[in-house]
Amino acid sequence: MNAMERVFIRMSGLGGQGAVTAAHILGSAANKDGLESTVNPFFGAEKRLAPAESYVRISSEKVYEKGEVLYPNIIMIFHPHVITMGKCYTMPFFDGLQEGGSILINSDEPLISDEDLKRLSDLNAKIYYVPGTRVATEVAGSELSTNIAMLGGLYAMRKLTSMEALKESMIERFGGGKFVASGTTAALDDAVTGKFAKVSQMIEKNMELIDAAGAALTEFPLPGTKGGE
């Protein structure tokens, strides 16, 4: 990351998908690479399938802002219902996206309406799809690892941190580090780690998942752009 470069990320999903965990892993990885970051979750009822968002700011300089990211460079959509059913706190789902920003969507198929595609094209945005839930199920054996697949898609889309830092951050998160999770997030962490006899096995599987998700990433051509209609 170049000096003074700042990246603002909004992660929108549903409770139980691990967006809070993904944000913490990414922010921690940035710190391990010598960058500055802030991480803030936001959710109403702390229950599965309720709307949930997390915000990550990464910069080569000190970050003073906290709370909601109103003008993201990157939007990550963890569940199709964020788009198709409006299950998010920000409407439309891409509200505030900066010009030239990117959207990463967990889906096996395109979801965005023609009207919204036109608005995103006017912003010179880029749209990427990654079948995160499917890849997580195939590689890690559980849709609970969708958040790690989304980080894999993000890494392939834009390398905000090193792969080694991501690995170290996951070891810290799942290996009994100092992070104190809320009740639902802690339960999700326990459910994920409980599938493996050792944390080291889970970490290696997560690294495999990150690679697989990155390989499955595709860019969707917008109208008026090269490759678009």
Side-chain angles (χ1 to χ4, degrees):
M1 180 174 288
N2 298 325
M4 296 301 293
E5 184 177 2
R6 296 157 61 87
V7 178
F8 299 152
I9 303 170
R10 183 168 69 223
M11 301 180 179
S12 296
L14 305 183
Q17 287 195 292
V20 174
T21 298
H24 174 256
I25 290 172
L26 181 61
S28 177
N31 295 154
K32 293 181 184 303
D33 276 337
L35 301 170
E36 298 288 335
S37 73
T38 61
V39 176
N40 298 101
F42 180 78
F43 40 79
E46 192 176 359
K47 63 181 181 180
R48 186 168 177 79
L49 301 183
E53 289 189 347
S54 286
Y55 313 109
V56 183
R57 294 173 173 87
I58 299 175
S59 176
S60 58
E61 302 292 331
K62 188 69 176 177
V63 180
Y64 295 99
E65 303 97 322
K66 294 184 179 180
E68 182 180 1
V69 170
L70 297 175
Y71 302 104
N73 307 98
I74 298 173
I75 296 175
M76 298 173 67
I77 305 297
F78 281 59
H79 197 286
H81 286 177
V82 170
I83 297 174
T84 61
M85 298 181 66
K87 284 196 171 185
C88 62
Y89 295 108
T90 307
M91 292 296 292
F93 69 92
F94 56 86
D95 185 58
L97 181 68
Q98 295 188 36
E99 185 171 0
S102 301
I103 300 176
L104 175 63
I105 303 171
N106 171 27
S107 178
D108 290 273
E109 59 185 9
L111 300 176
I112 304 176
S113 68
D114 290 342
E115 179 181 354
D116 285 344
L117 286 175
K118 176 60 170 62
R119 295 170 67 183
L120 288 168
S121 180
D122 292 341
L123 284 172
N124 195 30
K126 292 185 178 181
I127 299 175
Y128 298 86
Y129 285 91
V130 61
T133 300
R134 175 168 60 81
V135 174
T137 302
E138 292 173 353
V139 176
S142 174
E143 65 178 31
L144 294 177
S145 296
T146 295
N147 57 347
I148 304 301
M150 290 298 288
L151 289 177
L154 176 64
Y155 184 83
M157 187 182 85
R158 186 170 179 181
K159 293 175 175 58
L160 299 175
T161 71
S162 66
M163 185 68 78
E164 184 59 31
L166 278 175
K167 184 176 182 178
E168 290 178 7
S169 181
M170 286 190 290
I171 292 172
E172 181 179 82
R173 174 62 189 245
F174 298 116
K178 296 180 180 179
F179 180 80
V180 178
S182 65
T184 300
T185 302
L188 178 61
D189 285 358
D190 290 343
V192 173
T193 56
K195 292 179 59 64
F196 299 88
K198 297 180 180 179
V199 171
S200 60
Q201 294 176 344
M202 186 195 70
I203 298 302
E204 291 308 314
K205 184 60 67 172
N206 281 352
M207 299 306 292
E208 181 182 342
L209 176 55
I210 286 175
D211 287 341
L217 181 76
T218 58
E219 183 175 357
F220 183 86
L222 283 168
T225 63
K226 185 177 181 179
E229 296 180 357

